[in-house]
PDB file of all heavy atoms in Angstrom:
ATOM      1  N   ASP A  71      -8.596 -31.752  23.405  1.00 97.00           N
ATOM      2  CA  ASP A  71      -7.132 -31.660  23.480  1.00 97.00           C
ATOM      3  C   ASP A  71      -6.622 -30.327  22.946  1.00 97.00           C
ATOM      4  O   ASP A  71      -5.500 -30.242  22.443  1.00 97.00           O
ATOM      5  CB  ASP A  71      -6.496 -32.807  22.688  1.00 97.00           C
ATOM      6  CG  ASP A  71      -6.931 -32.829  21.229  1.00 97.00           C
ATOM      7  OD1 ASP A  71      -7.966 -32.203  20.896  1.00 97.00           O
ATOM      8  OD2 ASP A  71      -6.246 -33.475  20.412  1.00 97.00           O
ATOM      9  N   ASP A  91      17.532 -21.772   8.979  1.00 97.00           N
ATOM     10  CA  ASP A  91      18.414 -21.808   7.805  1.00 97.00           C
ATOM     11  C   ASP A  91      18.386 -23.177   7.147  1.00 97.00           C
ATOM     12  O   ASP A  91      18.313 -23.312   5.928  1.00 97.00           O
ATOM     13  CB  ASP A  91      19.850 -21.396   8.173  1.00 97.00           C
ATOM     14  CG  ASP A  91      20.464 -22.287   9.236  1.00 97.00           C
ATOM     15  OD1 ASP A  91      19.708 -22.863  10.059  1.00 97.00           O
ATOM     16  OD2 ASP A  91      21.703 -22.421   9.275  1.00 97.00           O
ATOM     17  N   GLU A 217     -23.062 -13.539  -4.945  1.00 93.00           N
ATOM     18  CA  GLU A 217     -23.387 -13.858  -6.341  1.00 93.00           C
ATOM     19  C   GLU A 217     -22.833 -12.774  -7.280  1.00 93.00           C
ATOM     20  O   GLU A 217     -22.274 -13.082  -8.347  1.00 93.00           O
ATOM     21  CB  GLU A 217     -24.918 -13.973  -6.481  1.00 93.00           C
ATOM     22  CG  GLU A 217     -25.450 -13.996  -7.908  1.00 93.00           C
ATOM     23  CD  GLU A 217     -25.256 -15.343  -8.610  1.00 93.00           C
ATOM     24  OE1 GLU A 217     -24.926 -16.312  -7.904  1.00 93.00           O
ATOM     25  OE2 GLU A 217     -25.400 -15.399  -9.844  1.00 93.00           O
ATOM     26  N   ARG A 224     -15.797 -14.106 -12.612  1.00 95.00           N
ATOM     27  CA  ARG A 224     -15.747 -15.376 -13.336  1.00 95.00           C
ATOM     28  C   ARG A 224     -14.847 -15.316 -14.582  1.00 95.00           C
ATOM     29  O   ARG A 224     -13.971 -16.163 -14.770  1.00 95.00           O
ATOM     30  CB  ARG A 224     -17.178 -15.776 -13.737  1.00 95.00           C
ATOM     31  CG  ARG A 224     -17.309 -17.226 -14.155  1.00 95.00           C
ATOM     32  CD  ARG A 224     -17.237 -18.108 -12.929  1.00 95.00           C
ATOM     33  NE  ARG A 224     -17.388 -19.514 -13.255  1.00 95.00           N
ATOM     34  CZ  ARG A 224     -17.293 -20.478 -12.348  1.00 95.00           C
ATOM     35  NH1 ARG A 224     -17.049 -20.198 -11.095  1.00 95.00           N
ATOM     36  NH2 ARG A 224     -17.436 -21.737 -12.696  1.00 95.00           N
ATOM     37  N   ASP A 281       3.137 -32.322  10.332  1.00 97.00           N
ATOM     38  CA  ASP A 281       2.886 -31.166  11.197  1.00 97.00           C
ATOM     39  C   ASP A 281       1.572 -30.470  10.864  1.00 97.00           C
ATOM     40  O   ASP A 281       0.985 -29.787  11.708  1.00 97.00           O
ATOM     41  CB  ASP A 281       4.040 -30.174  11.099  1.00 97.00           C
ATOM     42  CG  ASP A 281       5.343 -30.775  11.615  1.00 97.00           C
ATOM     43  OD1 ASP A 281       5.286 -31.458  12.655  1.00 97.00           O
ATOM     44  OD2 ASP A 281       6.391 -30.581  10.989  1.00 97.00           O
ATOM     45  N   GLU A 283      -1.177 -31.795  10.635  1.00 98.00           N
ATOM     46  CA  GLU A 283      -2.291 -32.357  11.411  1.00 98.00           C
ATOM     47  C   GLU A 283      -2.602 -31.488  12.632  1.00 98.00           C
ATOM     48  O   GLU A 283      -3.702 -31.509  13.152  1.00 98.00           O
ATOM     49  CB  GLU A 283      -1.991 -33.799  11.850  1.00 98.00           C
ATOM     50  CG  GLU A 283      -0.964 -33.927  12.965  1.00 98.00           C
ATOM     51  CD  GLU A 283      -0.518 -35.367  13.204  1.00 98.00           C
ATOM     52  OE1 GLU A 283      -0.736 -36.218  12.315  1.00 98.00           O
ATOM     53  OE2 GLU A 283       0.047 -35.633  14.283  1.00 98.00           O
ATOM     54  N   GLU A 296     -14.687 -22.604  12.092  1.00 94.00           N
ATOM     55  CA  GLU A 296     -15.225 -23.807  11.446  1.00 94.00           C
ATOM     56  C   GLU A 296     -14.356 -25.005  11.817  1.00 94.00           C
ATOM     57  O   GLU A 296     -13.178 -24.850  12.103  1.00 94.00           O
ATOM     58  CB  GLU A 296     -15.190 -23.640   9.917  1.00 94.00           C
ATOM     59  CG  GLU A 296     -16.143 -22.581   9.415  1.00 94.00           C
ATOM     60  CD  GLU A 296     -15.818 -22.151   7.987  1.00 94.00           C
ATOM     61  OE1 GLU A 296     -14.660 -21.825   7.702  1.00 94.00           O
ATOM     62  OE2 GLU A 296     -16.740 -22.142   7.172  1.00 94.00           O
TER      63      GLU A 296
ATOM     64  N   THR C  43      23.204 -24.303  10.884  1.00 81.00           N
ATOM     65  CA  THR C  43      22.764 -25.162  11.982  1.00 81.00           C
ATOM     66  C   THR C  43      22.630 -26.581  11.426  1.00 81.00           C
ATOM     67  O   THR C  43      22.326 -26.772  10.250  1.00 81.00           O
ATOM     68  CB  THR C  43      21.413 -24.706  12.562  1.00 81.00           C
ATOM     69  OG1 THR C  43      20.424 -24.747  11.519  1.00 81.00           O
ATOM     70  CG2 THR C  43      21.497 -23.299  13.111  1.00 81.00           C
ATOM     71  N   ARG C  57       3.714 -34.271  21.262  1.00 96.00           N
ATOM     72  CA  ARG C  57       2.519 -34.607  20.469  1.00 96.00           C
ATOM     73  C   ARG C  57       1.547 -35.416  21.310  1.00 96.00           C
ATOM     74  O   ARG C  57       1.130 -36.505  20.919  1.00 96.00           O
ATOM     75  CB  ARG C  57       2.917 -35.382  19.212  1.00 96.00           C
ATOM     76  CG  ARG C  57       3.730 -34.549  18.229  1.00 96.00           C
ATOM     77  CD  ARG C  57       3.888 -35.237  16.901  1.00 96.00           C
ATOM     78  NE  ARG C  57       4.914 -34.589  16.102  1.00 96.00           N
ATOM     79  CZ  ARG C  57       4.660 -33.649  15.187  1.00 96.00           C
ATOM     80  NH1 ARG C  57       3.434 -33.262  14.970  1.00 96.00           N
ATOM     81  NH2 ARG C  57       5.642 -33.099  14.501  1.00 96.00           N
ATOM     82  N   TYR C  59      -1.427 -34.631  21.834  1.00 97.00           N
ATOM     83  CA  TYR C  59      -2.816 -34.390  21.427  1.00 97.00           C
ATOM     84  C   TYR C  59      -3.436 -35.696  20.951  1.00 97.00           C
ATOM     85  O   TYR C  59      -2.730 -36.692  20.720  1.00 97.00           O
ATOM     86  CB  TYR C  59      -2.890 -33.313  20.338  1.00 97.00           C
ATOM     87  CG  TYR C  59      -1.940 -33.490  19.178  1.00 97.00           C
ATOM     88  CD1 TYR C  59      -2.280 -34.301  18.096  1.00 97.00           C
ATOM     89  CD2 TYR C  59      -0.699 -32.855  19.164  1.00 97.00           C
ATOM     90  CE1 TYR C  59      -1.410 -34.465  17.027  1.00 97.00           C
ATOM     91  CE2 TYR C  59       0.178 -33.022  18.088  1.00 97.00           C
ATOM     92  CZ  TYR C  59      -0.175 -33.827  17.032  1.00 97.00           C
ATOM     93  OH  TYR C  59       0.672 -33.997  15.978  1.00 97.00           O
ATOM     94  N   HIS C  63     -10.934 -38.094  18.630  1.00 92.00           N
ATOM     95  CA  HIS C  63     -11.574 -37.476  19.780  1.00 92.00           C
ATOM     96  C   HIS C  63     -12.683 -38.326  20.394  1.00 92.00           C
ATOM     97  O   HIS C  63     -13.390 -37.894  21.286  1.00 92.00           O
ATOM     98  CB  HIS C  63     -12.091 -36.082  19.410  1.00 92.00           C
ATOM     99  CG  HIS C  63     -10.970 -35.107  19.196  1.00 92.00           C
ATOM    100  ND1 HIS C  63     -10.350 -34.957  17.982  1.00 92.00           N
ATOM    101  CD2 HIS C  63     -10.335 -34.279  20.050  1.00 92.00           C
ATOM    102  CE1 HIS C  63      -9.377 -34.057  18.086  1.00 92.00           C
ATOM    103  NE2 HIS C  63      -9.337 -33.628  19.328  1.00 92.00           N
ATOM    104  N   VAL C 179     -14.461 -25.794 -11.645  1.00 96.00           N
ATOM    105  CA  VAL C 179     -15.178 -24.867 -12.526  1.00 96.00           C
ATOM    106  C   VAL C 179     -16.684 -25.175 -12.637  1.00 96.00           C
ATOM    107  O   VAL C 179     -17.500 -24.270 -12.499  1.00 96.00           O
ATOM    108  CB  VAL C 179     -14.491 -24.788 -13.912  1.00 96.00           C
ATOM    109  CG1 VAL C 179     -15.206 -23.779 -14.799  1.00 96.00           C
ATOM    110  CG2 VAL C 179     -13.019 -24.387 -13.752  1.00 96.00           C
ATOM    111  N   ARG C 225     -21.775 -16.464   7.786  1.00 82.00           N
ATOM    112  CA  ARG C 225     -21.421 -17.439   6.753  1.00 82.00           C
ATOM    113  C   ARG C 225     -22.505 -17.532   5.670  1.00 82.00           C
ATOM    114  O   ARG C 225     -23.679 -17.680   5.984  1.00 82.00           O
ATOM    115  CB  ARG C 225     -21.209 -18.808   7.404  1.00 82.00           C
ATOM    116  CG  ARG C 225     -20.435 -19.789   6.548  1.00 82.00           C
ATOM    117  CD  ARG C 225     -20.209 -21.079   7.345  1.00 82.00           C
ATOM    118  NE  ARG C 225     -19.182 -21.926   6.756  1.00 82.00           N
ATOM    119  CZ  ARG C 225     -19.409 -22.791   5.778  1.00 82.00           C
ATOM    120  NH1 ARG C 225     -20.610 -22.902   5.268  1.00 82.00           N
ATOM    121  NH2 ARG C 225     -18.430 -23.554   5.313  1.00 82.00           N
ATOM    122  N   ARG C 233     -21.168 -24.392  -6.195  1.00 93.00           N
ATOM    123  CA  ARG C 233     -22.074 -23.930  -5.149  1.00 93.00           C
ATOM    124  C   ARG C 233     -22.917 -25.058  -4.584  1.00 93.00           C
ATOM    125  O   ARG C 233     -23.525 -24.908  -3.537  1.00 93.00           O
ATOM    126  CB  ARG C 233     -22.939 -22.797  -5.709  1.00 93.00           C
ATOM    127  CG  ARG C 233     -22.130 -21.511  -5.838  1.00 93.00           C
ATOM    128  CD  ARG C 233     -22.945 -20.382  -6.396  1.00 93.00           C
ATOM    129  NE  ARG C 233     -23.274 -20.615  -7.800  1.00 93.00           N
ATOM    130  CZ  ARG C 233     -23.886 -19.732  -8.572  1.00 93.00           C
ATOM    131  NH1 ARG C 233     -24.249 -18.564  -8.060  1.00 93.00           N
ATOM    132  NH2 ARG C 233     -24.139 -19.996  -9.833  1.00 93.00           N
TER     133      ARG C 233
END
Side-chain angles (χ1 to χ4, degrees):
Chain A
D71 57 342
D91 59 333
E217 167 77 12
R224 196 74 179 177
D281 296 318
E283 73 190 18
E296 292 164 309
Chain C
T43 60
R57 294 191 194 265
Y59 49 85
H63 290 87
V179 182
R225 198 176 196 275
R233 286 179 291 186

